[in-house]
Amino acid sequence: MSSTNRSGTFALGNRSVKRLGYGAMRLAGPGVFGPPRDHGAALAVLREAIAGGVNHIDTSDFYGPHVTNKLIREALAPYPDDLVIVTKISCRRGEDGAWIPAFSPEELTQAVHDNLRNLGLESLDAVNLRSMFDAHHPAEGSIEAPLTVLAELQQQGLVRQIGLSNVTPAQIAEGRRICEIVCVQNHYNLAHRADDALIDQLASDGIAYVPYFPLGGFSPLQSSTLSTVAARLGATPMQVALAWLLRRSPNILLIPGTASVAHLRENLAAADCALPDDTIEELDGVARDGAN
């Protein structure tokens, strides 16, 4: 059995995916802008992910822009039957790489068509509407208008399932009154645990929670406690951080990103990292004490 299989599975709407997936954001150039430094290496990472048992890939057409989706199509099409590709919309990139809200009906519709074209699909497996009231943190504001547009595109058959990203509990509740929400993608990791209560609520409702920056994002997790535990278990700190997330709740789906085949293999091996109960208590202290 591969490490990925040992991570278990959870429902992403009407699809079952392995809990260890892959996030394609880092395949784009510096700042998630422009082409990759090594085109061939990017293709190799995607193919290795599938070879390693991954069947859940997270992407977006505003990565690059258009870069990661084209790489995914080049590397993996025709796609395996069990592969679920989840993308997101509501943002566009400026010529300087800026992240610009793109919430109008026309922009959202164009984004769905761009994703379809660049991925080479007739219907998108799942699309996350990313709230952009604050580009970096959840911020209150109604998502009814843009989510209604996405729900209409779902009714047209262009989108199969809908999720939300960078959202508050109030926005999730508002969204669930408009359409079925199959996943929520927010910032969460060992040191950043603002969504603890939300994760538990979503788990009770059977909704997947997909933490972005599970390893800290552009500023990787740094914790003496994490390093000490990893050394004791004979694992890397990042493997321990991922293993902690797998233990945290059964509805958590992981999408760690990398542009390195070696790092990808390390990430997927996190499912083999068994964390004793006393270690869990030790790691829980990282958020209380602050990563250091």
Side-chain angles (χ1 to χ4, degrees):
M1 180 185 292
S2 72
S3 297
T4 313
N5 288 334
R6 279 189 284 272
S7 71
T9 62
F10 192 79
L12 189 61
N14 61 14
R15 302 289 298 274
S16 178
V17 298
K18 296 169 188 174
R19 294 181 62 212
L20 261 174
Y22 173 71
M25 182 180 73
R26 290 187 177 275
L27 294 182
V32 200
F33 196 65
R37 292 187 176 94
D38 187 329
H39 185 89
L43 299 179
V45 168
L46 287 162
R47 290 168 180 153
E48 179 65 24
I50 298 301
V54 167
N55 67 354
H56 170 209
I57 292 179
D58 178 83
T59 186
S60 175
D61 224 32
F62 54 72
Y63 295 162
H66 312 298
V67 169
T68 60
N69 281 352
K70 290 179 179 179
L71 288 169
I72 290 169
R73 181 178 184 179
E74 181 180 353
L76 304 179
Y79 301 112
D81 290 341
D82 69 336
L83 178 62
V84 176
I85 300 175
V86 181
T87 187
K88 64 188 71 64
I89 60 174
S90 78
C91 177
R92 62 183 176 85
R93 306 300 294 278
E95 292 184 3
D96 60 351
W99 305 77
I100 303 170
F103 251 23
S104 73
E106 295 77 16
E107 289 171 315
L108 295 170
T109 301
Q110 184 62 53
V112 165
H113 284 281
D114 287 345
N115 277 276
L116 287 167
R117 181 183 66 255
N118 290 324
L119 287 168
L121 294 170
E122 294 183 357
S123 181
L124 298 170
D125 293 324
V127 176
N128 288 325
L129 179 74
R130 192 178 200 283
S131 173
M132 292 291 289
F133 293 105
D134 184 311
H136 305 291
H137 309 283
E140 296 296 355
S142 175
I143 59 171
E144 179 179 2
L147 188 58
T148 299
V149 172
L150 186 53
E152 290 171 352
L153 294 169
Q154 182 184 39
Q155 292 168 5
Q156 295 172 26
L158 300 179
V159 174
R160 295 192 182 100
Q161 304 190 100
I162 293 174
L164 298 173
S165 179
N166 198 41
V167 285
T168 68
Q171 288 165 335
I172 296 168
E174 180 184 38
R176 295 182 69 185
R177 291 192 291 270
I178 296 169
C179 62
E180 181 183 6
I181 300 299
V182 303
C183 59
V184 171
Q185 187 180 103
N186 275 4
H187 183 191
Y188 184 84
N189 56 49
L190 179 64
H192 185 94
R193 298 184 57 177
D195 275 357
D196 268 337
L198 175 61
I199 290 171
D200 295 338
Q201 180 59 55
L202 293 175
S204 69
D205 292 338
I207 297 173
Y209 183 91
V210 188
Y212 67 77
F213 295 161
L215 299 177
F218 298 112
S219 299
L221 290 172
Q222 303 246 351
S223 163
S224 58
T225 299
L226 180 59
S227 297
T228 299
V229 169
R232 192 165 67 235
L233 297 176
T236 70
M238 296 303 99
Q239 286 173 333
V240 171
L242 292 173
W244 179 87
L245 285 166
L246 289 173
R247 278 282 302 267
R248 170 62 184 82
S249 182
N251 67 323
I252 288 181
L253 301 177
L254 299 183
I255 50 168
T258 179
S260 160
V261 167
H263 288 161
L264 171 68
R265 290 172 179 163
E266 287 181 4
N267 289 342
L268 296 184
D272 295 325
C273 184
L275 301 180
D277 290 343
D278 59 346
T279 298
I280 294 294
E281 295 177 8
E282 196 174 351
L283 291 170
D284 283 344
V286 171
R288 291 193 302 268
D289 302 337
N292 57 68

